[in-house]
Amino acid sequence: MYPADLKYTNDHEWVKIDGGEATVGITDFAQKQLGDVVFVELPAVGRALKQGEAFGTIESVKAVSELFSPLSGDVVAVNDDLGNHPDHVNSKPHDTWMIKLKIANAGEAGSLLDATAYEQLTK
């Protein structure tokens, strides 16, 4: 159910690590819990984040939730398309990225969950 090439957090973010860069979004489980997403607030490019630090918010018809960085690093890209199309998070959560990070500490990836462990968490 969850893509095996991604890593996951207990806070329901996914991360795809490619060399020194990490692409971050929210999981299918998270978007189902939220319901219809109507707004996504993301950080500015250049912002330095610590692992576990809130980097933005996601708002649905049900609630507003914080988004947490799965790894420490500098924001190198933000998905500006979500400003006009926040609903993409609902239709394609594992293909809809929010931010890209230049990873500051690759060792932090060891604390992330694989797809099997994440699926167990969400049962």
Side-chain angles (χ1 to χ4, degrees):
M1 177 171 173
Y2 294 98
D5 63 331
L6 303 178
K7 295 290 188 184
Y8 302 88
T9 71
N10 290 328
D11 295 312
H12 310 292
E13 284 84 21
W14 59 259
V15 59
K16 182 171 188 164
I17 298 169
D18 184 13
E21 190 171 274
T23 303
V24 180
I26 66 165
T27 66
D28 185 54
F29 177 85
Q31 70 83 21
K32 283 180 180 166
Q33 297 299 307
L34 285 165
D36 292 334
V37 174
V38 295
F39 181 73
V40 180
E41 178 184 51
L42 299 172
V45 169
R47 179 168 165 199
L49 296 170
K50 299 269 186 236
Q51 185 178 39
E53 179 181 351
F55 68 80
T57 57
I58 187 164
E59 185 176 336
S60 71
V61 293
K62 291 185 193 177
V64 176
S65 298
E66 288 189 310
L67 299 163
F68 298 97
S69 184
L71 299 167
S72 299
D74 294 330
V75 177
V76 294
V78 173
N79 187 348
D80 292 326
D81 189 46
L82 291 176
N84 295 322
H85 303 286
D87 56 304
H88 287 180
V89 172
N90 291 115
S91 59
K92 299 179 283 192
H94 296 131
D95 294 325
T96 304
W97 64 278
M98 295 181 172
I99 63 171
K100 294 187 180 194
L101 296 171
K102 180 180 178 201
I103 300 170
N105 180 354
E108 291 175 346
S111 66
L112 300 172
L113 305 172
D114 64 17
T116 303
Y118 183 72
E119 199 163 335
Q120 291 300 313
L121 175 74
T122 60
K123 283 193 174 181

PDB file of all heavy atoms in Angstrom, residues 53-67:
ATOM      1  N   GLU A  53      11.118  19.567  13.214  1.00  0.00           N
ATOM      2  CA  GLU A  53      10.630  20.938  13.306  1.00  0.00           C
ATOM      3  C   GLU A  53       9.460  21.154  12.344  1.00  0.00           C
ATOM      4  O   GLU A  53       9.455  20.650  11.223  1.00  0.00           O
ATOM      5  CB  GLU A  53      11.765  21.900  12.940  1.00  0.00           C
ATOM      6  CG  GLU A  53      11.389  23.364  12.979  1.00  0.00           C
ATOM      7  CD  GLU A  53      12.539  24.284  12.573  1.00  0.00           C
ATOM      8  OE1 GLU A  53      13.681  23.811  12.423  1.00  0.00           O
ATOM      9  OE2 GLU A  53      12.271  25.483  12.411  1.00  0.00           O
ATOM     10  N   ALA A  54       8.465  21.919  12.793  1.00  0.00           N
ATOM     11  CA  ALA A  54       7.339  22.257  11.916  1.00  0.00           C
ATOM     12  C   ALA A  54       7.832  23.149  10.783  1.00  0.00           C
ATOM     13  O   ALA A  54       8.551  24.112  11.023  1.00  0.00           O
ATOM     14  CB  ALA A  54       6.241  22.950  12.708  1.00  0.00           C
ATOM     15  N   PHE A  55       7.450  22.808   9.544  1.00  0.00           N
ATOM     16  CA  PHE A  55       7.866  23.636   8.409  1.00  0.00           C
ATOM     17  C   PHE A  55       6.694  24.308   7.715  1.00  0.00           C
ATOM     18  O   PHE A  55       6.880  25.108   6.811  1.00  0.00           O
ATOM     19  CB  PHE A  55       8.699  22.833   7.406  1.00  0.00           C
ATOM     20  CG  PHE A  55       7.970  21.759   6.645  1.00  0.00           C
ATOM     21  CD1 PHE A  55       7.176  22.067   5.550  1.00  0.00           C
ATOM     22  CD2 PHE A  55       8.110  20.427   7.005  1.00  0.00           C
ATOM     23  CE1 PHE A  55       6.532  21.071   4.827  1.00  0.00           C
ATOM     24  CE2 PHE A  55       7.471  19.426   6.292  1.00  0.00           C
ATOM     25  CZ  PHE A  55       6.674  19.753   5.202  1.00  0.00           C
ATOM     26  N   GLY A  56       5.484  23.996   8.117  1.00  0.00           N
ATOM     27  CA  GLY A  56       4.317  24.597   7.488  1.00  0.00           C
ATOM     28  C   GLY A  56       3.046  24.017   8.063  1.00  0.00           C
ATOM     29  O   GLY A  56       3.082  23.285   9.050  1.00  0.00           O
ATOM     30  N   THR A  57       1.937  24.348   7.416  1.00  0.00           N
ATOM     31  CA  THR A  57       0.648  23.823   7.846  1.00  0.00           C
ATOM     32  C   THR A  57      -0.137  23.333   6.636  1.00  0.00           C
ATOM     33  O   THR A  57       0.089  23.780   5.510  1.00  0.00           O
ATOM     34  CB  THR A  57      -0.196  24.878   8.596  1.00  0.00           C
ATOM     35  OG1 THR A  57      -0.373  26.014   7.743  1.00  0.00           O
ATOM     36  CG2 THR A  57       0.451  25.306   9.894  1.00  0.00           C
ATOM     37  N   ILE A  58      -1.057  22.435   6.927  1.00  0.00           N
ATOM     38  CA  ILE A  58      -1.974  21.940   5.909  1.00  0.00           C
ATOM     39  C   ILE A  58      -3.374  22.061   6.493  1.00  0.00           C
ATOM     40  O   ILE A  58      -3.615  21.679   7.641  1.00  0.00           O
ATOM     41  CB  ILE A  58      -1.614  20.499   5.481  1.00  0.00           C
ATOM     42  CG1 ILE A  58      -2.467  20.066   4.302  1.00  0.00           C
ATOM     43  CG2 ILE A  58      -1.677  19.525   6.637  1.00  0.00           C
ATOM     44  CD1 ILE A  58      -1.936  18.837   3.575  1.00  0.00           C
ATOM     45  N   GLU A  59      -4.262  22.657   5.709  1.00  0.00           N
ATOM     46  CA  GLU A  59      -5.616  22.924   6.185  1.00  0.00           C
ATOM     47  C   GLU A  59      -6.617  22.150   5.337  1.00  0.00           C
ATOM     48  O   GLU A  59      -6.519  22.131   4.106  1.00  0.00           O
ATOM     49  CB  GLU A  59      -5.899  24.423   6.081  1.00  0.00           C
ATOM     50  CG  GLU A  59      -7.218  24.847   6.645  1.00  0.00           C
ATOM     51  CD  GLU A  59      -7.404  26.363   6.607  1.00  0.00           C
ATOM     52  OE1 GLU A  59      -6.397  27.106   6.579  1.00  0.00           O
ATOM     53  OE2 GLU A  59      -8.566  26.793   6.587  1.00  0.00           O
ATOM     54  N   SER A  60      -7.545  21.507   6.026  1.00  0.00           N
ATOM     55  CA  SER A  60      -8.605  20.788   5.333  1.00  0.00           C
ATOM     56  C   SER A  60      -9.945  21.313   5.830  1.00  0.00           C
ATOM     57  O   SER A  60     -10.001  22.189   6.693  1.00  0.00           O
ATOM     58  CB  SER A  60      -8.503  19.284   5.618  1.00  0.00           C
ATOM     59  OG  SER A  60      -8.880  19.016   6.960  1.00  0.00           O
ATOM     60  N   VAL A  61     -11.010  20.758   5.294  1.00  0.00           N
ATOM     61  CA  VAL A  61     -12.331  21.166   5.752  1.00  0.00           C
ATOM     62  C   VAL A  61     -12.554  20.745   7.208  1.00  0.00           C
ATOM     63  O   VAL A  61     -13.401  21.297   7.886  1.00  0.00           O
ATOM     64  CB  VAL A  61     -13.450  20.590   4.846  1.00  0.00           C
ATOM     65  CG1 VAL A  61     -13.386  21.210   3.461  1.00  0.00           C
ATOM     66  CG2 VAL A  61     -13.371  19.082   4.748  1.00  0.00           C
ATOM     67  N   LYS A  62     -11.754  19.803   7.704  1.00  0.00           N
ATOM     68  CA  LYS A  62     -11.893  19.295   9.075  1.00  0.00           C
ATOM     69  C   LYS A  62     -10.966  19.969  10.082  1.00  0.00           C
ATOM     70  O   LYS A  62     -11.344  20.155  11.231  1.00  0.00           O
ATOM     71  CB  LYS A  62     -11.572  17.792   9.126  1.00  0.00           C
ATOM     72  CG  LYS A  62     -12.551  16.893   8.452  1.00  0.00           C
ATOM     73  CD  LYS A  62     -12.110  15.458   8.736  1.00  0.00           C
ATOM     74  CE  LYS A  62     -12.804  14.435   7.889  1.00  0.00           C
ATOM     75  NZ  LYS A  62     -12.287  13.094   8.156  1.00  0.00           N
ATOM     76  N   ALA A  63      -9.734  20.257   9.686  1.00  0.00           N
ATOM     77  CA  ALA A  63      -8.727  20.670  10.670  1.00  0.00           C
ATOM     78  C   ALA A  63      -7.545  21.373  10.005  1.00  0.00           C
ATOM     79  O   ALA A  63      -7.380  21.337   8.796  1.00  0.00           O
ATOM     80  CB  ALA A  63      -8.212  19.434  11.409  1.00  0.00           C
ATOM     81  N   VAL A  64      -6.716  21.977  10.862  1.00  0.00           N
ATOM     82  CA  VAL A  64      -5.423  22.524  10.438  1.00  0.00           C
ATOM     83  C   VAL A  64      -4.354  21.709  11.175  1.00  0.00           C
ATOM     84  O   VAL A  64      -4.437  21.523  12.383  1.00  0.00           O
ATOM     85  CB  VAL A  64      -5.277  24.020  10.805  1.00  0.00           C
ATOM     86  CG1 VAL A  64      -3.890  24.527  10.442  1.00  0.00           C
ATOM     87  CG2 VAL A  64      -6.349  24.841  10.110  1.00  0.00           C
ATOM     88  N   SER A  65      -3.388  21.201  10.441  1.00  0.00           N
ATOM     89  CA  SER A  65      -2.326  20.392  11.037  1.00  0.00           C
ATOM     90  C   SER A  65      -0.968  20.950  10.634  1.00  0.00           C
ATOM     91  O   SER A  65      -0.815  21.504   9.548  1.00  0.00           O
ATOM     92  CB  SER A  65      -2.418  18.947  10.543  1.00  0.00           C
ATOM     93  OG  SER A  65      -3.632  18.363  10.933  1.00  0.00           O
ATOM     94  N   GLU A  66       0.005  20.768  11.532  1.00  0.00           N
ATOM     95  CA  GLU A  66       1.363  21.172  11.208  1.00  0.00           C
ATOM     96  C   GLU A  66       2.038  20.086  10.380  1.00  0.00           C
ATOM     97  O   GLU A  66       1.694  18.904  10.472  1.00  0.00           O
ATOM     98  CB  GLU A  66       2.174  21.411  12.489  1.00  0.00           C
ATOM     99  CG  GLU A  66       1.768  22.681  13.217  1.00  0.00           C
ATOM    100  CD  GLU A  66       2.716  23.003  14.358  1.00  0.00           C
ATOM    101  OE1 GLU A  66       2.999  22.114  15.179  1.00  0.00           O
ATOM    102  OE2 GLU A  66       3.168  24.158  14.402  1.00  0.00           O
ATOM    103  N   LEU A  67       2.998  20.509   9.573  1.00  0.00           N
ATOM    104  CA  LEU A  67       3.837  19.614   8.788  1.00  0.00           C
ATOM    105  C   LEU A  67       5.219  19.611   9.439  1.00  0.00           C
ATOM    106  O   LEU A  67       5.735  20.673   9.797  1.00  0.00           O
ATOM    107  CB  LEU A  67       3.938  20.126   7.348  1.00  0.00           C
ATOM    108  CG  LEU A  67       2.612  20.218   6.593  1.00  0.00           C
ATOM    109  CD1 LEU A  67       2.763  21.100   5.358  1.00  0.00           C
ATOM    110  CD2 LEU A  67       2.128  18.831   6.216  1.00  0.00           C
TER     111      LEU A  67
END
